[in-house]
Amino acid sequence: MGELFVYSFFLGIFFFLFPVFVYIDAFVDVRENKCWFALSLFKFFKIFGGYIEIKKPGIVFHLTKKKAVILPYKELAPMRKKFEVTKGFQLYRFHQIVETGGEGKPLGVFIGAAILSASGQIFSVLHSLHPFLSLKNGVLLTDHADLKLTFQTVTIFNGLILSIAIGKKILEAILNWIRKKESTASWKKQPSS
Protein backbone atom coordinates (compact mmCIF):
# COMPACT_ATOMS: atom_id res chain seq x y z
CA MET A 1 0.00 0.00 0.00
CA GLY A 2 2.89 2.36 0.80
CA GLU A 3 4.49 1.76 -2.60
CA LEU A 4 1.26 2.77 -4.36
CA PHE A 5 1.22 6.04 -2.42
CA VAL A 6 4.85 6.79 -3.31
CA TYR A 7 4.30 5.98 -7.02
CA SER A 8 1.11 8.07 -7.08
CA PHE A 9 2.89 10.98 -5.41
CA PHE A 10 5.78 11.01 -7.91
CA LEU A 11 3.41 10.51 -10.85
CA GLY A 12 1.35 13.49 -9.63
CA ILE A 13 4.47 15.65 -9.26
CA PHE A 14 5.56 14.58 -12.76
CA PHE A 15 2.13 15.50 -14.20
CA PHE A 16 1.98 18.87 -12.41
CA LEU A 17 5.50 20.08 -13.18
CA PHE A 18 6.72 18.50 -16.41
CA PRO A 19 5.36 19.38 -19.85
CA VAL A 20 2.58 17.36 -21.44
CA PHE A 21 2.64 17.17 -25.24
CA VAL A 22 -0.76 16.93 -26.95
CA TYR A 23 -0.61 15.88 -30.61
CA ILE A 24 -3.37 16.48 -33.14
CA ASP A 25 -2.84 14.70 -36.44
CA ALA A 26 -5.39 15.46 -39.16
CA PHE A 27 -6.07 14.81 -42.82
CA VAL A 28 -8.62 16.96 -44.69
CA ASP A 29 -10.11 15.92 -48.03
CA VAL A 30 -12.18 18.79 -49.45
CA ARG A 31 -13.70 16.65 -52.23
CA GLU A 32 -15.05 14.07 -49.75
CA ASN A 33 -15.99 16.78 -47.20
CA LYS A 34 -14.23 14.92 -44.40
CA CYS A 35 -11.49 15.58 -41.87
CA TRP A 36 -9.95 12.56 -40.14
CA PHE A 37 -8.22 13.33 -36.86
CA ALA A 38 -6.46 11.71 -33.91
CA LEU A 39 -5.74 13.30 -30.52
CA SER A 40 -2.93 11.76 -28.50
CA LEU A 41 -0.59 12.41 -25.59
CA PHE A 42 3.14 12.20 -26.26
CA LYS A 43 2.20 10.81 -29.72
CA PHE A 44 1.92 7.27 -28.30
CA PHE A 45 -1.19 7.37 -26.06
CA LYS A 46 -4.24 7.90 -28.26
CA ILE A 47 -7.08 9.69 -26.45
CA PHE A 48 -9.64 9.56 -29.24
CA GLY A 49 -10.04 9.99 -32.96
CA GLY A 50 -12.58 9.89 -35.74
CA TYR A 51 -13.65 12.16 -38.55
CA ILE A 52 -15.60 15.37 -39.02
CA GLU A 53 -18.12 16.20 -41.73
CA ILE A 54 -19.82 19.49 -42.56
CA LYS A 55 -23.53 18.87 -43.12
CA LYS A 56 -26.60 21.09 -43.42
CA PRO A 57 -27.59 21.05 -39.70
CA GLY A 58 -24.02 21.64 -38.49
CA ILE A 59 -20.63 20.06 -37.94
CA VAL A 60 -20.85 16.30 -37.34
CA PHE A 61 -18.16 14.60 -35.21
CA HIS A 62 -18.02 10.84 -35.86
CA LEU A 63 -16.25 9.37 -32.82
CA THR A 64 -17.08 5.70 -33.50
CA LYS A 65 -18.97 3.80 -36.21
CA LYS A 66 -22.21 4.13 -34.24
CA LYS A 67 -21.65 7.35 -32.29
CA ALA A 68 -21.76 10.87 -33.76
CA VAL A 69 -22.20 14.30 -32.21
CA ILE A 70 -23.77 17.21 -34.12
CA LEU A 71 -22.70 20.76 -33.32
CA PRO A 72 -25.27 23.18 -34.88
CA TYR A 73 -23.91 26.26 -36.60
CA LYS A 74 -25.89 28.64 -34.37
CA GLU A 75 -24.10 27.29 -31.27
CA LEU A 76 -20.59 27.92 -32.64
CA ALA A 77 -20.36 31.63 -31.68
CA PRO A 78 -21.48 31.19 -28.04
CA MET A 79 -19.27 28.09 -27.69
CA ARG A 80 -16.18 30.02 -28.81
CA LYS A 81 -16.61 32.35 -25.81
CA LYS A 82 -16.68 29.39 -23.39
CA PHE A 83 -13.27 28.03 -24.43
CA GLU A 84 -10.59 30.49 -23.44
CA VAL A 85 -7.00 29.45 -24.05
CA THR A 86 -4.63 30.81 -21.43
CA LYS A 87 -0.96 31.65 -21.88
CA GLY A 88 -0.04 28.33 -20.26
CA PHE A 89 -1.09 26.42 -23.39
CA GLN A 90 1.67 26.94 -25.96
CA LEU A 91 1.63 25.87 -29.59
CA TYR A 92 4.95 24.07 -30.09
CA ARG A 93 4.70 22.66 -33.62
CA PHE A 94 2.60 23.19 -36.74
CA HIS A 95 3.53 21.15 -39.82
CA GLN A 96 1.35 21.04 -42.92
CA ILE A 97 1.35 19.61 -46.43
CA VAL A 98 -1.13 20.89 -49.03
CA GLU A 99 -1.93 18.57 -51.93
CA THR A 100 -3.52 20.25 -54.94
CA GLY A 101 -4.13 19.51 -58.61
CA GLY A 102 -2.35 21.14 -61.49
CA GLU A 103 0.84 19.15 -61.99
CA GLY A 104 2.57 20.29 -65.18
CA LYS A 105 0.16 23.22 -65.68
CA PRO A 106 1.16 26.84 -65.15
CA LEU A 107 -1.94 27.58 -63.04
CA GLY A 108 -1.18 24.64 -60.72
CA VAL A 109 2.41 25.76 -60.25
CA PHE A 110 1.19 29.32 -59.59
CA ILE A 111 -1.32 28.08 -56.96
CA GLY A 112 1.37 25.98 -55.27
CA ALA A 113 3.79 28.93 -55.22
CA ALA A 114 1.07 31.23 -53.85
CA ILE A 115 0.29 28.76 -51.03
CA LEU A 116 4.00 28.49 -50.14
CA SER A 117 4.46 32.25 -50.27
CA ALA A 118 1.39 33.07 -48.13
CA SER A 119 2.18 30.44 -45.51
CA GLY A 120 5.83 31.54 -45.51
CA GLN A 121 4.76 35.10 -44.66
CA ILE A 122 2.43 33.92 -41.90
CA PHE A 123 5.05 31.53 -40.52
CA SER A 124 7.71 34.27 -40.44
CA VAL A 125 5.44 36.51 -38.34
CA LEU A 126 4.59 33.62 -36.00
CA HIS A 127 8.25 32.65 -35.71
CA SER A 128 9.25 36.22 -34.80
CA LEU A 129 6.62 36.22 -32.02
CA HIS A 130 7.45 32.68 -30.82
CA PRO A 131 11.05 31.70 -31.72
CA PHE A 132 10.68 28.18 -30.28
CA LEU A 133 7.78 27.36 -32.62
CA SER A 134 8.51 24.65 -35.23
CA LEU A 135 6.76 25.52 -38.48
CA LYS A 136 6.98 23.53 -41.72
CA ASN A 137 5.03 23.80 -44.93
CA GLY A 138 4.96 21.80 -48.14
CA VAL A 139 2.96 21.63 -51.36
CA LEU A 140 2.40 18.55 -53.53
CA LEU A 141 1.09 18.96 -57.06
CA THR A 142 -0.95 16.03 -58.41
CA ASP A 143 -2.24 15.20 -61.88
CA HIS A 144 -5.90 15.12 -60.79
CA ALA A 145 -8.02 17.99 -59.43
CA ASP A 146 -8.41 17.81 -55.68
CA LEU A 147 -7.47 19.65 -52.53
CA LYS A 148 -6.12 17.80 -49.50
CA LEU A 149 -4.40 19.03 -46.36
CA THR A 150 -2.35 17.05 -43.88
CA PHE A 151 -1.22 18.72 -40.69
CA GLN A 152 0.14 18.01 -37.23
CA THR A 153 -0.01 20.37 -34.28
CA VAL A 154 1.65 19.91 -30.92
CA THR A 155 0.57 21.88 -27.86
CA ILE A 156 2.44 21.92 -24.57
CA PHE A 157 1.03 22.47 -21.10
CA ASN A 158 1.46 21.03 -17.64
CA GLY A 159 -0.98 19.83 -15.02
CA LEU A 160 -0.54 22.92 -12.87
CA ILE A 161 -1.62 25.24 -15.70
CA LEU A 162 -4.49 22.92 -16.59
CA SER A 163 -5.73 22.79 -12.99
CA ILE A 164 -5.49 26.61 -12.73
CA ALA A 165 -7.51 27.00 -15.95
CA ILE A 166 -10.16 24.51 -14.76
CA GLY A 167 -10.27 26.19 -11.33
CA LYS A 168 -10.74 29.59 -13.02
CA LYS A 169 -13.66 28.25 -15.09
CA ILE A 170 -15.27 26.69 -12.00
CA LEU A 171 -14.93 29.96 -10.04
CA GLU A 172 -16.44 31.93 -12.95
CA ALA A 173 -19.38 29.52 -13.08
CA ILE A 174 -19.91 29.83 -9.29
CA LEU A 175 -19.75 33.65 -9.45
CA ASN A 176 -22.24 33.75 -12.34
CA TRP A 177 -24.57 31.43 -10.42
CA ILE A 178 -24.34 33.67 -7.29
CA ARG A 179 -25.03 36.81 -9.35
CA LYS A 180 -28.00 35.16 -11.00
CA LYS A 181 -29.30 33.98 -7.63
CA GLU A 182 -28.94 37.49 -6.13
CA SER A 183 -30.68 39.19 -9.06
CA THR A 184 -33.54 36.69 -8.86
CA ALA A 185 -33.84 37.17 -5.09
CA SER A 186 -33.89 40.98 -5.36
CA TRP A 187 -36.53 40.78 -8.08
CA LYS A 188 -38.76 38.61 -5.86
CA LYS A 189 -38.44 41.08 -2.94
CA GLN A 190 -39.83 44.00 -4.94
CA PRO A 191 -43.30 45.07 -3.81
CA SER A 192 -46.07 44.31 -6.23
CA SER A 193 -47.94 47.31 -7.60
Side-chain angles (χ1 to χ4, degrees), residues 20 30 41 44 47 52-54 58 61 65 72 79 89 91 95-96 99-100 102 133 137 140 153 159 165-166 170 173:
V20 176
V30 174
L41 292 175
F44 302 110
I47 299 172
I52 301 170
E53 284 184 297
I54 297 176
F61 294 88
K65 288 184 178 180
M79 183 173 260
F89 296 87
L91 183 64
H95 294 180
Q96 73 174 6
E99 185 178 329
T100 183
L133 192 57
N137 183 36
L140 294 174
T153 62
I166 291 172
I170 291 171

Side-chain angles (χ1 to χ4, degrees), residues 21 24 46 50 53 60 63 74 78-79 86 101 136 162 176 184:
F21 293 84
I24 299 175
K46 183 178 173 186
E53 284 184 297
V60 182
L63 302 176
K74 60 184 174 186
M79 183 173 260
T86 66
K136 288 187 183 174
L162 183 64
N176 288 336
T184 308

Side-chain angles (χ1 to χ4, degrees), residues 7 32 39 45 47 61 75 79 82 146 164 176 179:
Y7 290 138
E32 289 193 28
L39 181 72
F45 306 109
I47 299 172
F61 294 88
E75 292 182 14
M79 183 173 260
K82 290 181 183 178
D146 61 1
I164 289 171
N176 288 336
R179 286 185 194 130

Side-chain angles (χ1 to χ4, degrees), residues 12 14 25 46 48 61 68 101 126 136 169 193:
F14 179 80
D25 295 299
K46 183 178 173 186
F48 66 91
F61 294 88
L126 287 173
K136 288 187 183 174
K169 285 295 182 187
S193 52

Side-chain angles (χ1 to χ4, degrees), residues 5-62:
F5 175 76
V6 171
Y7 290 138
S8 300
F9 176 76
F10 283 113
L11 202 67
I13 293 294
F14 179 80
F15 176 72
F16 271 94
L17 298 180
F18 291 98
V20 176
F21 293 84
V22 178
Y23 283 74
I24 299 175
D25 295 299
F27 174 74
V28 179
D29 190 342
V30 174
R31 180 177 277 183
E32 289 193 28
N33 188 25
K34 289 184 180 177
C35 172
W36 292 268
F37 67 94
L39 181 72
S40 57
L41 292 175
F42 301 106
K43 192 161 179 138
F44 302 110
F45 306 109
K46 183 178 173 186
I47 299 172
F48 66 91
Y51 67 95
I52 301 170
E53 284 184 297
I54 297 176
K55 298 280 188 173
K56 202 168 188 176
I59 300 172
V60 182
F61 294 88
H62 296 270

Side-chain angles (χ1 to χ4, degrees), residues 116-131:
L116 283 174
S117 177
S119 58
Q121 296 298 319
I122 294 168
F123 284 4
S124 65
V125 171
L126 287 173
H127 193 67
S128 67
L129 295 172
H130 308 286

